[in-house]
Amino acid sequence: SFLDSLRSNADLAHVQINQNKYDLDSHGRGEGHHPCAPPSAILVPTSAHDVSQILSMCNKHKVPIIPFGAGTSVEGHVSALNKESISLDMKKFKKVDLPIDGILEDACIEVGAGVTRHELNDHLRHTGMKFMVDPGADASIGGMVACGASGTTAVKYGTMRENILGLECVLPDGTIAKCGTKALKSSAGYDLTSLMTGSEGTLGVITKVTVKLHPIPGHVIAAICEFDSLHEAAEAVATMRMCSIPVERCELLDESSMDAFRRYAASSGDGKFELGAENKPTLFLEFTGSSEAAVREQVTLTESICDDFGGSNFEFKADESERKTLWKARHNLYYASLALRKGATDAVLTDACVPLSKFADIITATVKDVKDFNLVGPCFGHAGDGNFHCILPIVEGDDDDYIAKIHKVNDNLIRRTIDVGGTCTGEHGIGYGKLKYLDSQYGEGGIKFMKELKKGIDPNNIMNPGKVVII
Amino acid sequence: MKILVGVKRVVDYAVKVRVGADGVNLKNVKMSLNPFCEIAVEEAVKLKENKAANVSEVVALSVGPKQCQETLRTALAMGCDRGIHISTDLRTDYMELQSDAVAKLFQKVIEEKEKDIHLVLVGKQAIDSDCGQVGPALAGYMSWPQCTFASKVDLDGDGLLVERETDSGTETIKVPKLPAVVTCDLRLNTPRYATLPNIMKAKKKKVDTYKAEEFGVDLEVKNKVLEVYEPPSRKEGILVDDVDTLIDKLRNEASVIQ
């Protein structure tokens, strides 16, 4: 068998082969609603050379292989649709190339693909620099590249794509390829780094990434403001952009999200925000600058803009622990939302991104669908990017009708999104659940382009087959 | 109020420590500011930012090789005003320089170099030696009150009100008058990240260096380390495929269940 060939390869003797049932299960699921689809075995390589050998063997024997980072994907990225798939666990790739004296010369650092973003920032804690991309999960850097991840700071610092300079990856035939450089700009050849970004393990295995770093902001103020409608909040955000306010974070929560947020803040014992009596659409903002005066100016201008659009209870906090509490509650909104339905352990997590001018309409329409179908579905999003999520918790025992309605909400949302020129996924990726939307999003030509690339790089379709691009 | 903060350079907490012929291997190993000392620095800087405390200066003190200057720079970047480096090539991870000598060096600094210290803040223990003795020993030598394992420090009149964490609960201790020694525990605060502008400013802050021998303190070990070894490696476990197999082995092989 294939595993026997692996075992008899002396070069790979140190590579752990794990077939424990529980580990296989945990490697067959992410954090979305897709059913667990366990691989047949888990391999734990320790170097790019290991990965190269493993991939060559998989390619020769035509065995599918799925790279695995932290397992936090939400679109079924790691589901082993072919039962004989191998899971390639990248957890040993933990090297952080920080000089012994802790002084970084350039605002970038090379890390192993298995390093998680919190681990990275912990290594960097005395350097004055930080890796800014902050999706909700403590994902691995390699996984974040493969998924094209982003978080609340994208409005100022961009997504993963804008925060990496280069990477090393291994192609299905075992070739170890260097992509990008340490330079801040380059026009040298095809942009392979961007090609790998969002490729979801379908083109190769990422082993090392050179990430961009940014100075830890010196002065920070967080602010919240309530609005009477999502539209007015969205217009306030659009105006802020027109006034060139370099907002660091700009999140919009609907009434249902505010309900979840309040309950979480109340139960976790921290969180002292003077919000109004009822739940209203609320903007969560963060401003940074090189001096207190610079930040205050941004806050003052924003306050007057919010006021113009009927904003109320504008409140700002400079104290670090209070700010952290605010953002902790926002980051944990996924779990707070699940908690809105007693017994929910799973949810359909929507993700769509539209041009800013259409943002208010799209989120309002989804909130209306949720209400009309009588579902629990908090909606919140990155208002500065036009990207929002609706979390639709599922309880075991929900009838088919409820589940069908949940999927209809998502379907409606994506249809409307593509109609206005948006994308069916702003940051979560395609996995296999969203394959069906790519045709209408890109049309024949775009799909053909992707298929040609996939066929050229992975002709035997061993790299995470059944995801993103079908050949 | 003038504050003295002890900052120790130790193996970074995330490093997997290896033992060689002369004890723990320190070559090419990442070193950092001891986490409990970091908490002490944060507390000192918070007191400085508190107008009511009326802190005139925060001085950071480190004993060790020349790389301690980097550790001092981290403390300065977090907000300390000045640094003192007592230079020695003796190993500070208990192998050569031990707590009693360090406490005496601190005493000399307070008596000879920084004569008006009102408060000494140190970490509750260093993560390499785990002794936790410098704070209490220093208090003893200075005849000053001590509060160890502080999880909260508040100003109280001329003194302090300190909450002290123990295994059986939290004590509240009143220190009627300063000077005093306080050792800092995990829950006292969350240390700030130093920003780049502060790191650059720290390069210009003053750091005075003295040789450890200058102070006439007996630096000899009081406890001789006979042997350093890694704990015996765990016998390799096996992976079982399901709960039934696990129960079978627990019952019939390990004999730990009926």
Side-chain angles (χ1 to χ4, degrees):
Chain A
S1 75
F2 178 67
L3 287 181
D4 289 329
S5 326
L6 272 173
R7 286 188 187 102
S8 60
N9 184 333
D11 257 351
L12 295 175
H14 59 278
V15 172
Q16 189 197 1
I17 302 177
N18 183 0
Q19 290 188 285
N20 173 279
K21 182 180 181 300
Y22 299 99
D23 288 337
L24 292 176
D25 275 353
S26 72
H27 282 66
R29 73 169 93 88
E31 289 189 354
H33 64 277
H34 304 75
C36 174
S40 64
I42 302 160
L43 298 180
V44 188
T46 62
S47 68
H49 181 71
D50 288 348
V51 176
S52 169
Q53 297 223 296
I54 293 168
L55 287 189
S56 323
M57 289 184 72
C58 283
N59 200 25
K60 186 159 148 240
H61 296 249
K62 300 210 181 18
V63 173
I65 184 159
I66 305 172
F68 185 91
T72 57
S73 58
V74 293
E75 288 294 345
H77 292 49
V78 299
S79 300
L81 301 176
N82 302 65
K83 284 201 174 65
E84 72 267 24
S85 303
I86 303 283
S87 175
L88 194 68
D89 194 326
M90 302 301 287
K91 66 182 181 195
K92 296 272 185 189
F93 287 70
K94 292 284 191 192
K95 189 153 187 283
V96 174
D97 194 27
L98 188 60
I100 272 276
D101 62 2
I103 298 173
L104 286 169
E105 286 183 322
D106 285 294
C108 67
I109 190 167
E110 189 181 63
V111 302
V115 176
T116 71
R117 65 180 188 89
H118 285 311
E119 275 171 359
L120 173 56
N121 281 327
D122 190 64
H123 278 271
L124 296 171
R125 68 192 189 281
H126 292 140
T127 63
M129 306 272 250
K130 197 177 163 191
F131 174 67
M132 290 303 188
V133 185
D134 65 336
D138 185 21
S140 67
I141 300 294
M144 286 170 70
V145 175
C147 182
S150 68
T152 56
T153 58
V155 64
K156 187 163 186 177
Y157 299 101
T159 69
M160 207 56 191
R161 203 166 267 111
E162 290 83 45
N163 282 279
I164 56 179
L165 292 176
L167 52 87
E168 177 190 83
C169 63
V170 185
L171 301 179
D173 67 356
T175 306
I176 300 177
K178 176 187 166 182
C179 311
T181 65
K182 286 199 166 82
L184 290 171
K185 336 187 300 201
S186 181
S187 283
Y190 294 160
D191 190 357
L192 299 172
T193 307
S194 282
L195 173 62
M196 290 304 286
T197 308
S199 61
E200 302 181 26
T202 59
L203 296 177
V205 178
I206 297 165
T207 48
K208 273 200 280 215
V209 187
T210 301
V211 299
K212 262 194 201 171
L213 301 174
H214 296 266
I216 292 169
H219 296 86
V220 190
I221 292 181
I224 54 177
C225 185
E226 295 180 331
F227 290 83
D228 290 323
S229 72
L230 289 164
H231 264 277
E232 284 164 299
E235 283 178 89
V237 172
T239 309
M240 281 167 61
R241 287 197 80 112
M242 285 190 257
C243 296
S244 301
I245 298 175
V247 67
E248 175 112 350
R249 291 180 155 114
C250 181
E251 301 284 297
L252 176 58
L253 273 63
D254 76 341
E255 289 167 27
S256 179
S257 309
M258 284 310 291
D259 184 25
F261 175 87
R262 277 188 216 242
R263 286 168 202 261
Y264 178 91
S267 74
S268 63
D270 32 39
K272 300 152 224 126
F273 316 104
E274 274 91 67
L275 299 162
E278 3 152 343
N279 291 313
K280 289 166 90 173
T282 306
L283 267 185
F284 283 62
L285 305 160
E286 191 166 89
F287 307 93
T288 63
S290 46
S291 72
E292 219 182 294
V295 188
R296 293 256 163 188
E297 247 178 54
Q298 294 178 47
V299 175
T300 307
L301 184 50
T302 302
E303 187 170 8
S304 85
I305 292 173
C306 288
D307 192 54
D308 284 345
F309 290 96
S312 57
N313 289 325
F314 186 96
E315 201 195 324
F316 63 89
K317 304 224 173 270
D319 174 76
E320 190 179 343
S321 60
E322 290 180 318
R323 277 190 290 108
K324 280 207 166 103
T325 309
L326 189 83
W327 291 108
K328 183 169 151 222
R330 158 64 189 90
H331 263 129
N332 288 327
L333 211 38
Y334 176 69
Y335 299 103
S337 300
L338 286 186
L340 282 179
R341 285 195 80 204
K342 193 166 174 175
T345 51
D346 243 346
V348 165
L349 187 48
T350 79
D351 174 37
C353 191
V354 296
L356 273 180
S357 60
K358 308 283 189 273
F359 181 68
D361 285 338
I362 282 277
I363 190 173
T364 304
T366 303
V367 169
K368 183 171 186 297
D369 270 352
V370 168
K371 196 157 171 241
D372 288 346
F373 292 152
N374 212 1
L375 307 171
V376 172
C379 293
F380 57 90
H382 315 293
D385 305 322
N387 174 214
F388 84 97
H389 307 294
C390 177
I391 296 185
L392 297 144
I394 300 172
V395 178
E396 207 178 302
D398 271 345
D399 60 35
D400 292 336
D401 186 54
Y402 194 92
I403 305 283
K405 286 191 178 130
I406 285 181
H407 286 284
K408 190 89 177 66
V409 169
N410 195 14
D411 220 51
N412 284 354
L413 157 64
I414 293 177
R415 208 186 3 94
R416 288 181 196 121
T417 296
I418 293 177
D419 282 346
V420 298
T423 171
C424 65
T425 170
E427 45 186 24
H428 292 168
I430 294 292
Y432 65 92
K434 289 194 168 172
L435 282 168
K436 59 185 182 238
Y437 302 115
L438 286 180
D439 281 319
S440 50
Q441 181 161 324
Y442 291 132
E444 232 181 272
I447 300 292
K448 180 159 184 253
F449 198 164
M450 288 199 282
K451 289 194 197 218
E452 293 302 306
L453 277 167
K454 169 76 171 172
K455 278 190 267 181
I457 295 170
D458 183 23
N460 293 325
N461 198 20
I462 60 162
M463 297 305 307
N464 207 3
K467 316 281 170 49
V468 189
V469 177
I470 308 297
I471 53 169
Chain B
M1 196 203 296
K2 195 162 148 193
I3 303 179
L4 182 69
V5 187
V7 294
K8 190 176 181 190
R9 177 177 177 262
V10 298
V11 176
D12 185 88
Y13 80 91
V15 164
K16 202 167 173 166
V17 156
R18 291 263 110 91
V19 177
D22 332 295
V24 168
N25 178 31
L26 296 176
K27 280 201 181 64
N28 285 323
V29 158
K30 184 178 180 206
M31 307 288 277
S32 311
L33 174 54
N34 181 44
F36 296 108
C37 298
E38 205 176 338
I39 292 172
V41 171
E42 173 65 25
E43 198 62 19
V45 175
K46 271 171 70 172
L47 278 168
K48 195 174 106 172
E49 292 168 344
N50 178 0
K51 300 252 156 50
N54 206 4
V55 174
S56 56
E57 220 188 359
V58 178
V59 182
L61 168 59
S62 191
V63 182
K66 70 175 186 312
Q67 292 90 340
C68 284
Q69 307 251 351
E70 286 156 29
T71 314
L72 284 166
R73 293 288 162 205
T74 305
L76 294 170
M78 283 172 71
C80 296
D81 299 297
R82 270 193 298 120
I84 298 178
H85 172 214
I86 297 183
S87 153
T88 173
D89 285 323
L90 294 171
R91 280 179 74 139
T92 52
D93 60 347
Y94 196 73
M95 299 293 286
E96 291 173 346
L97 192 67
Q98 291 173 349
S99 311
D100 189 58
V102 174
K104 286 183 172 136
L105 285 169
F106 269 63
Q107 179 187 16
K108 288 286 180 179
V109 166
I110 295 170
E111 287 174 350
E112 292 173 14
K113 305 284 179 191
E114 305 285 335
K115 294 194 183 92
D116 45 351
I117 297 288
H118 297 99
L119 179 60
V120 174
L121 287 168
V122 289
K124 73 168 177 181
Q125 69 198 65
I127 61 170
D128 52 7
S129 62
D130 275 337
C131 291
Q133 293 167 356
V134 168
L138 175 63
Y141 286 134
M142 299 298 301
S143 295
W144 286 0
Q146 59 171 282
C147 277
T148 53
F149 318 142
S151 60
K152 199 165 191 294
V153 173
D154 284 320
L155 300 169
D156 186 56
D158 286 336
L160 303 170
L161 204 61
V162 179
E163 280 182 22
R164 176 175 186 261
E165 282 194 355
T166 72
D167 286 339
S168 46
T170 306
E171 299 175 335
T172 309
I173 300 188
K174 184 168 169 60
V175 178
K177 229 168 57 125
L178 296 177
V181 176
V182 174
T183 84
C184 304
D185 206 339
L186 192 64
R187 273 161 282 278
L188 179 57
N189 60 49
T190 308
R192 66 195 61 194
Y193 288 126
T195 59
L196 274 178
N198 285 341
I199 290 174
M200 293 189 320
K201 264 190 235 159
K203 294 198 178 126
K204 301 203 187 97
K205 290 183 180 174
K206 192 156 179 275
V207 174
D208 292 312
T209 304
Y210 307 102
K211 283 201 165 60
E213 293 72 28
E214 269 179 54
F215 293 98
V217 165
D218 178 8
L219 303 174
E220 284 291 301
V221 290
K222 294 286 158 71
N223 303 301
K224 186 170 170 209
V225 176
L226 298 175
E227 200 188 342
V228 181
Y229 54 88
E230 285 183 28
S233 54
R234 257 178 53 177
K235 213 177 84 155
E236 196 186 302
I238 52 163
L239 293 173
V240 294
D241 287 327
D242 51 45
V243 174
D244 290 330
T245 316
L246 173 67
I247 292 180
D248 176 58
K249 290 193 186 286
L250 285 175
R251 185 176 288 134
N252 300 319
E253 275 182 32
S255 308
V256 290
I257 58 174
Q258 301 259 315

